[in-house]
Amino acid sequence: RLEALNGNVRRAPSPQDAGAVVAEILGGKSAIASPAPYLETCGVRGMGGVIWGAADPEQWREACATVDFGVTSASYALADTGSLVTIAGPSETRLASLLPPVHVAVIPAEAILTGLDELFLKVPKPAEIASSMVLITGPSRTADIEQILVRGVHGPGEIYVVIVGE
């Protein structure tokens, strides 16, 4: 479903392979990575050109606004819509998925759910666990009154999802 929305899906058999796929996507350009433990498992921390977290919120905002890529994990993905589900928290911030022009998300295959029904069975009261739960469905896009579609106006114009495992 994500590919139908002009998203890019890549597969990696293991977390180590996922790190190599992320490095290939980044192509040596600048990136910022959310401090998600899964990204650390995949070897994103310490990858050349990747900023790993920032203690100062202003530094974090500035970095997110100036890098080429934002790399995150996601709590879940929804198969029926191709959406990523990010539950905000200390290890997963929204800015890394919203400000850079390209978003790269790395998720384990077991985090893929069928759809919203299954998501709300797993997370019945999201407001009790986080300040926000964001659903990201493809690259940012909007249309004006003449229905001319424009990508990247309100968020990343390009998105990659790296699915790890079978």
Side-chain angles (χ1 to χ4, degrees), residues 6-76:
N6 293 316
N8 303 288
V9 178
R10 303 283 299 274
R11 292 203 168 259
S14 70
Q16 294 75 24
D17 294 317
V21 171
V22 170
E24 179 186 320
I25 292 168
L26 299 182
K29 293 185 178 173
S30 65
I32 192 159
S34 66
Y38 194 68
L39 293 180
E40 193 162 5
T41 300
C42 294
V44 175
R45 185 177 191 157
M47 197 176 279
V50 177
I51 299 166
W52 182 265
D56 176 26
E58 190 55 43
Q59 274 184 319
W60 181 258
R61 273 190 291 281
E62 180 66 29
C64 286
T66 58
V67 295
D68 298 306
F69 292 86
V71 184
T72 70
S73 187
S75 304
Y76 301 101

Side-chain angles (χ1 to χ4, degrees), residues 58-113:
E58 190 55 43
Q59 274 184 319
W60 181 258
R61 273 190 291 281
E62 180 66 29
C64 286
T66 58
V67 295
D68 298 306
F69 292 86
V71 184
T72 70
S73 187
S75 304
Y76 301 101
L78 306 180
D80 63 352
T81 60
S83 301
L84 294 169
V85 179
T86 302
I87 298 174
S91 66
E92 199 60 75
T93 64
R94 292 174 287 184
L95 283 181
S97 68
L98 294 172
L99 279 181
V102 182
H103 177 203
V104 179
V106 184
I107 61 165
E110 58 268 15
I112 300 174
L113 308 177

